[in-house]
Each structure stands twice: as C-alpha cells, then as structure tokens.
Amino acid sequence: QITIRKEKWVTDEFEMLEFLGRGKFGEVKRCKEKATGRLLAAKFVSIIKEQERKDVYNEIEIMKSLQHPRLIQLYDVYENPSKKQMCLILELINGGELFERVIDDNFILTERLCELYILQICEGLNFMHKSNILHLDLKPENILCLSKDGHRLKIIDFGLARRFNPAQALKVLFGTPEFVAPEVVSYDKIGYGTDMWSVGVICYVLLSGLSPFMGDNDCETYNNITRAEFDFDDESFVDISDEAKDFINKLLVKDLNKRMLASQSLNHPWLNKSITPTAQPLPDDKIINTKNLRRFVIRRRWQKAVNALLALKRLGLNF
Ligand code: ATP
C-alpha cells in the first residue's frame, strides 16, 4: 500500500545521483535510499495545473495496482509542501531503451530476440488488460531493458493509462502519432485492441526499421493510419518469417474488435514456443540488419529533444 508522503521531501531520505531521462513534467534521476543504500529511480513531476495533479494521482493509482515483472514498480511517492512538485520512487531500470540497445554496434539482433522482446511486451500487456487497464502510450521509448546484458524488458510510463470497463464507451484523443490506432485518430470507442495496434507497429519497426504509417507530417500519418494499409514489400522483410508477418497482420487490423488480444497473442505460433536467447546467434537464426532501425532511432531522438524543449517551455524556461 502506497501513501503519499507529505511530512518529508524525497531528498531527506534519498541521495540524488545522475540524470536518467527527461519526461514531460520533469527529470528522472538515479537515487540511493540513505537508510538502506538501495538504488532506485526518482521521477520528478512539476505540477502547474490542477488537472496535472489529477493525472499524476491517476498514474500512481494505476501503478499501485499493477504488480508484475514486466511492468515498472512504484515504491513510494512524495509531495512537497508547496504541492507544486511530486516525486515518484520507482524500481531502477538500468539497461536503457530497448531500441537504443539493439542498434548498438556490438549487438546482433535476430528474429528470435525480437520474438523474446515482443513476447515480454505482450505478457506485460496481458496482465494490464486482465486488470482492466489500458496503457495507451506504448511506443519504443516506453520499453526499457532491465539490465545492459540480459534480455528482460519492462514497460514504463503509465501517464496516459486508463481503467477500462468494456461496458462503457471510452474515447481518448492523445498518444504518439506514429503508434496510435485508427479508433484514436477518429475519436471512436477504444478498447484492449488499441494497445495491441501499438504492439503491431512496434513489432513492424523492430523487424524492419521502417515505420508502417509514418507520413511527412502528422496529418499524413493520421491519414495512413486511418487507411490501415501496409505491406511487407520492402527488402527488409525478405528474411522475416511468415509467422512474424501473420502476427503483425493480426494486430494491424483496422477494426478494433477483429484485432488479436494480448491473451491470444501469447498463443500465436510466433510467440507460443520456447524462446531461449543464446549468447551467439545459432546457425539458423535470421540476423536482422539494423541500418534502417538506426535511422528510425535517430529520428525519434530528435523528436524527443523537441518534446523536451516544449516541456521546458511549459515550465516557463525559454531559450
Ligand atoms: P513521456 O514524455 O515519454 O511521456 P514521462 O513524463 O511520462 O515521459 P517517463 O517516460 O516515465 O516520463 O520517463 C522519462 C524517461 O526517463 C524515460 O524515457 C526513461 O529514459 C527514463 N526513465 C523513466 N523511468 C525510469 C526508471 N525507472 N529507471 C531508469 N530510467 C527511467
């Protein structure tokens, strides 16, 4: 049970260490619990509007109810006396973003590893969906590696997550253009399949480095998503298995109700087998050329830098 700590501020109990990342509302830093020496992550959130406080409380409430090895865990929450800042103490995830890791010069990406990564994302989502929660912001930046050497992943950032009652219509108008589903673009009813669409996009990008619906601007991207047309014609897909393509075909389906669910994805032949990562690729492993993926990651880094500037602007810091 997590209660919001108001009697002390986070720095009374934690030593702040290096910068880990920047979110919309503040920085994330590595930190050390003074009493135990335990290393964790501190996510600072600056609150300007009352709605933002409600959003953070929503994120906290959702994280508290999600305890699963594939989902980031929340340990403690502090609110400072002026109530203008909150700090979430999270499990520390040391391996950085999945996509940054797989484009590293020394990393050999294979289809088998992609299976292992997508399997873990689907396991995390299956748990969320069984708990009646939608993530609604699944994108590569929100998939982190637990450590620099293993292959275990964690889904982070429940800032847009919502409780979902299938009996009640839920509509949203947010998300990251490249990864949002057609029903978000058209502001129609959303559901569990809305997250599964994003898994389909992440999977397509991971295997090919190509973004299936990306246009020259957001408007074009939204049009492409609405048409829900994509193909595997690019040469990057030549060595990709039919099972992988079938998996994507069952996710990038325009009709939300016909999309594969997380529980079904775990039973799909692409994932429903023993997937053991090996130190070196096996002779029959399909090695994926990450040239396109590098370009994709660099483009997303730029987007992230622009978002970070917009976030600073929101806090009144202009350049
Ligand atoms: P966004 O703008 O992506 O919605 P946000 O405000 O919700 O961001 P997060 O995505 O939670 O913030 O965190 C921002 C960045 O900080 C992440 O992309 C990641 O690089 C880093 N980060 C967040 N949580 C952790 C953690 N527990 N351990 C290590 N790094 C983390």
Side-chain angles (χ1 to χ4, degrees), residues 185 218-228:
V185 175
D218 285 353
C219 187
E220 223 178 277
T221 304
Y222 290 138
N223 280 334
N224 294 340
I225 294 170
T226 304
R227 280 201 301 277

Side-chain angles (χ1 to χ4, degrees), residues 20-29 40-45 59 72-73 90-97 137 139 141-142 144 156-160 304 307:
L20 288 171
R22 183 175 303 282
K24 273 189 293 298
F25 302 120
E27 291 183 341
V28 181
K29 286 182 171 168
L40 293 149
K43 174 171 169 171
F44 290 90
V45 183
E59 182 172 354
I72 191 166
Q73 300 299 291
L90 302 162
E91 160 184 27
L92 176 65
I93 307 184
N94 267 320
E97 290 173 20
D137 198 19
K139 55 183 174 183
E141 293 89 319
N142 288 337
L144 300 189
I156 66 162
D157 194 357
F158 300 96
L160 298 182
K304 226 173 151 179
N307 291 345

Side-chain angles (χ1 to χ4, degrees), residues 11-277:
T11 45
D12 296 331
E13 288 174 318
F14 290 85
E15 185 188 331
M16 290 302 144
L17 304 169
E18 77 273 16
F19 171 87
L20 288 171
R22 183 175 303 282
K24 273 189 293 298
F25 302 120
E27 291 183 341
V28 181
K29 286 182 171 168
R30 209 151 80 101
C31 65
K32 187 154 111 186
E33 191 173 28
K34 290 179 183 170
T36 61
R38 191 158 63 137
L39 291 171
L40 293 149
K43 174 171 169 171
F44 290 90
V45 183
S46 299
I47 292 161
I48 298 176
K49 299 183 199 132
E50 198 44 39
Q51 185 55 45
E52 291 167 358
R53 180 185 321 283
K54 287 193 186 135
D55 290 346
V56 183
Y57 273 71
N58 174 63
E59 182 172 354
I60 292 168
E61 191 269 322
I62 285 190
M63 287 180 96
K64 279 198 297 195
S65 60
L66 290 173
Q67 272 147 41
H68 188 271
R70 306 283 176 251
L71 309 175
I72 191 166
Q73 300 299 291
L74 173 71
Y75 291 114
D76 231 332
V77 181
Y78 292 83
E79 185 169 46
N80 77 354
S82 71
K83 295 189 170 230
K84 295 265 185 286
Q85 207 179 26
M86 293 183 77
C87 183
L88 278 57
I89 298 293
L90 302 162
E91 160 184 27
L92 176 65
I93 307 184
N94 267 320
E97 290 173 20
L98 170 67
F99 276 33
E100 291 282 351
R101 167 129 184 257
V102 300
I103 59 161
D104 195 277
D105 282 342
N106 302 318
F107 195 93
I108 302 175
L109 182 65
T110 60
E111 189 176 318
R112 180 199 305 272
L113 281 178
C114 294
E115 289 163 13
L116 189 65
Y117 297 146
I118 298 294
L119 170 68
Q120 294 179 65
I121 297 171
C122 291
E123 284 171 345
L125 270 186
N126 187 37
F127 183 83
M128 288 187 77
H129 292 174
K130 276 197 305 189
S131 314
N132 297 316
I133 293 170
L134 309 180
H135 186 285
L136 301 178
D137 198 19
L138 277 178
K139 55 183 174 183
E141 293 89 319
N142 288 337
I143 313 292
L144 300 189
C145 300
L146 193 56
S147 64
K148 295 220 186 285
D149 37 19
H151 294 289
R152 272 184 297 159
L153 302 185
K154 294 261 176 183
I155 299 177
I156 66 162
D157 194 357
F158 300 96
L160 298 182
R162 291 283 178 275
R163 286 202 176 273
F164 177 61
N165 174 356
Q168 276 172 9
L170 178 63
K171 296 178 178 185
V172 295
L173 247 190
F174 51 55
T176 306
E178 271 179 275
F179 305 97
V180 295
E183 62 275 13
V184 175
V185 175
S186 58
Y187 195 52
D188 280 322
K189 276 194 266 181
I190 59 164
Y192 299 118
T194 306
D195 280 336
M196 297 314 289
W197 174 279
S198 307
V199 175
V201 179
I202 292 172
C203 187
Y204 188 104
V205 179
L206 186 61
L207 290 167
S208 68
L210 305 172
S211 188
F213 305 108
M214 182 70 181
D216 287 338
N217 51 53
D218 285 353
C219 187
E220 223 178 277
T221 304
Y222 290 138
N223 280 334
N224 294 340
I225 294 170
T226 304
R227 280 201 301 277
E229 285 168 11
F230 66 97
D231 57 54
F232 300 115
D233 294 346
D234 192 88
E235 63 172 335
S236 334
F237 283 103
V238 167
D239 288 332
I240 300 299
S241 70
D242 289 341
E243 281 177 351
K245 291 175 189 164
D246 184 71
F247 186 83
I248 295 172
N249 275 331
K250 291 195 159 82
L251 293 175
L252 298 182
V253 174
K254 183 168 164 110
D255 183 347
L256 162 72
N257 300 310
K258 294 193 176 134
R259 237 170 266 156
M260 181 162 66
L261 294 170
S263 55
Q264 295 166 332
S265 73
L266 298 176
N267 287 319
H268 185 280
W270 195 51
L271 299 186
N272 186 15
K273 58 190 171 211
S274 124
I275 309 169
T276 36

